[in-house]
């Protein structure tokens, strides 16, 4: 619909259509016009799409920041359990401003389910720049689960990632107050990185 007022009316109608509108809204996520995709994100959230995470991932990777913003807001407004995982997976594709907004949300959630997405970003061919790198390490270090310390220790000895990522992981691990994290830190300090990477870093 090319007329904005008509589009808004159609969106309100679709939002009240229940499950009957899901198929149409999902289809529009692949539409070539950015504003159609943006509106589809809003409708899917209002319809409480049970597969919201799956259908919003293409929008989170969209080239238009306005679409990314709509998809991100739709995820946050959904209040669905498990949101941390998709948010972390989307980080490499988001604009810098939206990366910061997403990291703030992840820092608030402190959800262990975000670890795989964060680790994928940190070990990717294009890891985050220093500002985002520090923020991601803070998010991991704040997660109240021993697997967060394990993840930092693994990064610290991963010779395939840049040195700044390894150093940042070591510093974040050292700031974790748990006994488990301090044991990991002790091991890293007393074992050469090659030995630790081979399996000596353990609980």
């Amino acid at each position: 619909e090319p007329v904005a007022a008509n589009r808004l009316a159609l969106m309100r109608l679709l939002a009240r259509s229940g499950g009957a509108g899901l198929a149409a809204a999902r289809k529009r996520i692949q539409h070539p016009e950015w504003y159609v995709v943006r509106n589809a994100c809003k409708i899917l959230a209002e319809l409480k799409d049970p597969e919201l995470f799956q259908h919003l991932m293409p929008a989170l990777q969209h080239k238009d920041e306005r679409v990314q913003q709509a998809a991100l807001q739709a995820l946050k407004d959904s209040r669905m359990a498990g949101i941390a995982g998709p948010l972390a997976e989307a980080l490499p594709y988001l604009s810098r401003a939206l990366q910061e907004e997403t990291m703030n949300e992840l820092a608030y959630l402190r959800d262990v389910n975000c670890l795989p997405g964060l680790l994928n970003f940190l070990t990717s061919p294009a890891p985050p720049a220093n500002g985002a790198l520090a923020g991601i390490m803070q998010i991991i270090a704040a997660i109240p689960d021993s697997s967060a310390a394990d993840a930092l220790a693994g990064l610290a000895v991963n010779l395939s990632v840049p040195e700044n990522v390894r150093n940042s992981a070591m510093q974040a691990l050292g700031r974790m107050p748990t006994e488990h994290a301090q044991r990991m830190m002790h091991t890293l300090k007393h074992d050469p990185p090659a030995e630790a990477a081979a399996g000596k870093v353990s609980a």
Side-chain angles (χ1 to χ4, degrees):
E1 169 55 56
V3 180
N6 291 346
R7 283 202 306 271
L8 291 174
L10 286 171
M11 286 177 63
R12 288 193 293 268
L13 179 62
L14 276 170
R16 295 196 296 269
S17 67
L22 280 176
R26 289 169 176 173
K27 184 178 179 180
R28 296 308 186 276
I29 289 292
Q30 304 295 339
H31 199 279
E33 295 288 356
W34 70 267
Y35 60 87
V36 176
V37 184
R38 179 196 61 187
N39 293 344
C41 293
K42 297 177 180 178
I43 292 170
L44 286 175
E46 291 189 28
L47 292 176
K48 302 188 184 304
D49 184 353
E51 300 175 355
L52 186 65
F53 300 158
Q54 173 186 337
H55 291 110
L56 286 188
M57 282 308 294
L60 288 167
Q61 300 175 27
H62 200 278
K63 62 182 179 181
D64 195 299
E65 183 177 349
R66 291 167 292 188
V67 174
Q68 293 183 347
Q69 175 70 67
L72 179 60
Q73 193 62 48
L75 281 177
K76 292 166 63 176
D77 291 345
S78 74
R79 302 186 182 278
M80 293 176 67
I83 188 178
L87 288 179
E89 291 175 14
L91 278 173
Y93 309 101
L94 298 175
S95 68
R96 183 171 298 181
L98 294 182
Q99 277 187 351
E100 183 175 349
E101 180 180 340
T102 301
M103 288 192 295
N104 289 339
E105 183 72 13
L106 291 173
Y108 170 75
L109 293 172
R110 300 173 65 195
D111 188 338
V112 70
N113 291 312
C114 74
L115 274 179
L118 295 181
L119 293 177
N120 285 339
F121 191 14
L122 292 169
T123 57
S124 68
N130 285 337
L133 176 61
I136 290 175
M137 293 301 178
Q138 290 177 4
I139 292 169
I140 297 176
I143 294 173
D145 190 280
S146 61
S147 59
D150 296 339
L152 291 173
L155 283 170
V157 299
N158 187 345
L159 300 180
S160 67
V161 300
E163 184 177 3
N164 66 325
V165 174
R166 299 198 304 272
N167 291 340
S168 185
M170 180 76 85
Q171 293 169 7
L173 181 63
R175 292 193 295 269
M176 293 184 74
T178 66
E179 182 180 347
H180 178 71
Q182 293 308 308
R183 284 201 306 270
M184 303 289 278
M185 192 69 184
H186 177 82
T187 301
L188 289 175
K189 284 182 176 180
H190 291 85
D191 284 337
E195 293 182 21
K200 293 192 67 176
V201 174
S202 64

